[in-house]
Amino acid sequence: SVRRKLALYLNPTNTVAANWTDVAERMGFSYLEIRNYERLENPTQKLLEEWQTRPDATVGNLLRFLHEVERNDIISELRHLIDEDCRRYLERQVQVPEVDSRQDQGITVHDDLMPEQFDAFICYCKNDLQFVHEMIKHLEQTEYKLKLCVFDRDVLPGTCVWTITSELIEKRCKRMVVVISDDYLDSDACDFQTKFALSLCPGARTKRLIPVVYKPMKRPFPSILRFLTVCDYTRPCTQSWFWNRLAKALYVP
C-alpha cells in the first residue's frame, strides 16, 4: 500500500515538484535505465522492484532520497504507514526464535539428532515438479551426491509454510535453485521464496541464487533475477553441459 501511494506522488512528471526520475538518480540508476522506465505505466513501482535487490535498498535510504529531492510532503504523509510496516517486520523477526526453540520437534523428514542441512533449496511450482524429479536423479543419485531440499519430499506436514521456508533458506541450505517457468511467475510461494533469498544476499553472499530455465517461456523472464547468470536447459547444444555446470555451481564455497 505504501508503494502504491508513493507512485501516486512520484509518477506525475508535469509538476514543479521532484518526481520518480529524481529519486532514481539518487538510487544510482543510469540515464538509459531511467529512459526505459519512462515508457511504463507505473515507473515508480518498477523502480522500487529493481532497487530492492541492491545492497543499499533500505527504508532509511529511501526516506533520505525523498528528503534530498525536497519531497518532505511525501515523508510527512506516509510516515505513519512506513512506521507501521517497519513495526510489523520487526515483530516477525522477533517471533523467529520462538519457532527456532522448537527445532527439537523437527521440520524435515530426517531431523533426528540434529537439524538437517542441504546443499540447495529448490524453489519450484507444482507444475514443474517433473523437472525437479530429473534434478534429483542427476544431482543426488549420481557421482555428485548433492543433497537437495525439495519441499514436497523433505518437509514434514503440519508446519507453518512461510516460517519453515524462511528457516530452510536462511539456515539450512547453502544455495537456492530457482526453477523459472511461466507457471513460476504466477506462484505466490515462489515469489516469496525468491524475494526472501534475495534479501539475504547483501549480508550473506553464500545464499546465492541460481536461476534454471528448463523449457521455453512465453512470458518475460522475471526482472528481479535478470542480473544473475542463468543455467539454461532449453538449448540442445548446451544440454550436455547443463548438469555438470549446475552441480559445480552448487559445490562452489
Side-chain angles (χ1 to χ4, degrees):
S1 61
V2 172
R3 294 191 184 201
R4 287 196 296 271
K5 289 183 172 62
L6 274 172
L8 291 176
Y9 281 100
L10 294 174
N11 279 343
T13 57
N14 56 350
T15 63
V16 294
N19 56 40
W20 69 271
T21 60
D22 301 281
V23 176
E25 290 177 359
R26 295 299 194 285
M27 290 177 172
F29 285 88
S30 68
Y31 172 77
L32 287 176
E33 287 176 313
I34 294 173
R35 287 300 303 272
N36 275 281
Y37 295 160
E38 286 176 348
R39 299 179 299 176
L40 302 176
E41 182 179 351
N42 190 347
T44 300
Q45 180 70 25
K46 180 66 173 178
L47 180 70
L48 293 172
E49 288 177 357
E50 296 289 343
W51 183 60
Q52 73 183 24
T53 65
R54 300 186 177 188
D56 63 338
T58 65
V59 174
N61 278 337
L62 178 60
L63 294 175
R64 178 168 62 86
F65 296 150
L66 291 171
H67 176 71
E68 289 176 355
V69 299
E70 299 182 352
R71 291 306 305 264
N72 291 313
D73 57 317
I74 300 178
I75 298 176
S76 299
E77 185 68 25
L78 301 184
R79 190 59 185 257
H80 68 290
L81 295 175
I82 295 172
D83 288 345
E84 179 63 17
D85 278 354
C86 291
R87 183 186 66 78
R88 291 177 179 175
Y89 171 79
L90 291 173
E91 283 182 353
R92 290 198 298 270
Q93 297 300 102
V94 171
Q95 291 171 1
V96 170
E98 297 178 8
V99 177
D100 291 346
S101 65
R102 301 173 55 203
Q103 291 310 307
D104 56 321
Q105 298 180 15
I107 61 175
T108 63
V109 174
H110 296 293
D111 273 352
D112 299 324
L113 298 177
M114 59 186 301
E116 192 174 10
Q117 301 294 317
F118 301 89
D119 291 301
F121 182 92
I122 309 302
C123 172
Y124 64 95
C125 68
K126 303 298 182 183
N127 290 342
D128 297 325
L129 190 54
Q130 186 59 45
F131 181 73
V132 175
H133 280 283
E134 287 292 312
M135 194 176 293
I136 291 171
K137 183 173 70 175
H138 284 88
L139 298 180
E140 286 190 342
Q141 301 171 7
T142 59
E143 69 275 12
Y144 300 121
K145 297 189 182 302
L146 290 163
K147 190 172 183 181
L148 308 179
C149 181
V150 179
F151 201 92
D152 290 291
R153 180 192 66 175
D154 297 312
V155 177
L156 293 172
T159 53
C160 174
V161 173
W162 307 115
T163 304
I164 297 307
T165 299
S166 303
E167 162 80 11
L168 290 168
I169 295 172
E170 182 176 10
K171 300 179 180 179
R172 306 282 200 97
C173 301
K174 298 177 184 177
R175 302 281 190 276
M176 187 165 100
V177 176
V178 186
V179 180
I180 308 295
S181 67
D182 289 327
D183 294 308
Y184 161 91
L185 299 173
D186 296 322
S187 170
D188 291 335
C190 290
D191 182 66
F192 168 79
Q193 293 166 11
T194 303
K195 289 179 178 177
F196 179 80
L198 281 172
S199 73
L200 300 173
C201 287
R205 290 185 176 275
T206 56
K207 302 297 188 294
R208 193 173 349 186
L209 271 73
I210 303 172
V212 169
V213 179
Y214 78 99
K215 62 181 179 181
M217 296 177 61
K218 297 180 181 177
R219 298 164 64 181
F221 189 84
S223 59
I224 198 172
L225 296 175
R226 66 179 175 84
F227 63 94
L228 297 175
T229 304
V230 177
C231 206
D232 193 347
Y233 193 69
T234 62
R235 294 181 296 169
C237 59
T238 61
Q239 283 182 1
S240 60
W241 309 327
F242 177 85
W243 296 111
N244 186 59
R245 286 185 70 222
L246 182 55
K248 293 292 186 182
L250 296 178
Y251 276 128
V252 172

